[in-house]
Amino acid sequence: MPPSRKYNLFALVLLACVAPPASAQEAPLDADAVRAAVLAETNAYRASKNIPQLKENTALEAAATAYAVYLAEHEKMGHTADDSNPPKRVSAQGYKSCFISENVWSSFRHPQAMLAEELARKAMKGWQASPGHNANLLQKRAHEIGIGAAGWKLDGGQEIFRVVQVFATECPGKRQSKP
């Protein structure tokens, strides 16, 4: 078999192993509205504790969004479900962090309308109830945030949602990412 054909066959086998089922599809979700609602809830919570608000960062948002999509599409959860970790995912987006932490939230539901604000409220309640996630929400060393949200429709009509928050501070003197 010619070498190029071997690689094509390998790529097809690899794709078949990591791709979601053909019948699964992206669930309708207004990710921008979810991001805005989670940011508002997060900053309101921080303000209630006299902690400065977080500023959005596009590199952090890109890392959080890509990870939320991965988690939803592959029905996975955790901070290393993609065999990577928050610092590596953020670094891949060009962000040079001195501090980084991450919150991940998961929800399953049967088909029905769920507003972005409801999704944000549920995620925040879950994170506030978890000591480690709550500590991330209130981390004074964090100055910037990236938020990602994704939904995936499973066979049978059930939908899963993932919301990811990445909290970080960029190192002084290193290349700055886009705000």
Side-chain angles (χ1 to χ4, degrees), residues 20 24-32 34-35 64-76 105-109 114 119 148-154 157-164:
Q25 61 184 343
E26 192 172 358
L29 175 71
D30 185 347
D32 288 337
V34 173
R35 274 194 292 278
T65 297
Y67 195 48
V69 168
Y70 175 86
L71 292 173
E73 188 175 353
H74 297 278
E75 300 177 53
K76 293 192 175 195
W105 179 78
S106 167
S107 175
F108 288 88
R109 71 176 170 91
M114 183 184 290
L119 198 65
W152 207 256
K153 190 177 288 189
L154 307 176
Q158 188 180 38
E159 296 173 344
I160 62 171
F161 296 95
R162 301 293 190 258
V163 180
V164 176

Side-chain angles (χ1 to χ4, degrees), residues 125-141:
K125 284 180 87 170
W127 289 326
Q128 289 169 339
S130 163
H133 294 101
N134 191 57
N136 289 341
L137 288 167
L138 300 175
Q139 180 55 252
K140 291 178 182 176
R141 294 186 326 176

Side-chain angles (χ1 to χ4, degrees), residues 27-52:
L29 175 71
D30 185 347
D32 288 337
V34 173
R35 274 194 292 278
V38 169
L39 179 64
E41 292 256 350
T42 299
N43 279 333
Y45 183 56
R46 289 171 65 90
S48 75
K49 307 289 185 185
N50 295 316
I51 299 171

Side-chain angles (χ1 to χ4, degrees), residues 69-94:
V69 168
Y70 175 86
L71 292 173
E73 188 175 353
H74 297 278
E75 300 177 53
K76 293 192 175 195
M77 261 309 276
H79 299 286
T80 59
D82 63 349
D83 295 326
S84 187
N85 60 45
K88 287 180 184 176
R89 287 190 291 273
V90 166
S91 179
Q93 296 299 325

Side-chain angles (χ1 to χ4, degrees), residues 30-44 46 52-65 90 95 142-149 163-170 176-179:
D30 185 347
D32 288 337
V34 173
R35 274 194 292 278
V38 169
L39 179 64
E41 292 256 350
T42 299
N43 279 333
R46 289 171 65 90
Q53 292 190 351
L54 299 167
K55 293 188 308 185
E56 291 178 279
N57 179 283
T58 56
L60 297 177
E61 182 182 313
T65 297
V90 166
Y95 191 93
H143 298 138
E144 296 179 301
I145 189 169
I147 301 162
V163 180
V164 176
Q165 289 180 308
V166 178
F167 306 90
T169 298
E170 226 166 10
Q176 297 293 310
S177 62
K178 300 173 196 167

Side-chain angles (χ1 to χ4, degrees), residues 94-109:
Y95 191 93
K96 308 297 181 192
S97 65
C98 286
F99 167 79
I100 190 160
S101 63
E102 179 183 74
N103 283 350
V104 177
W105 179 78
S106 167
S107 175
F108 288 88
R109 71 176 170 91

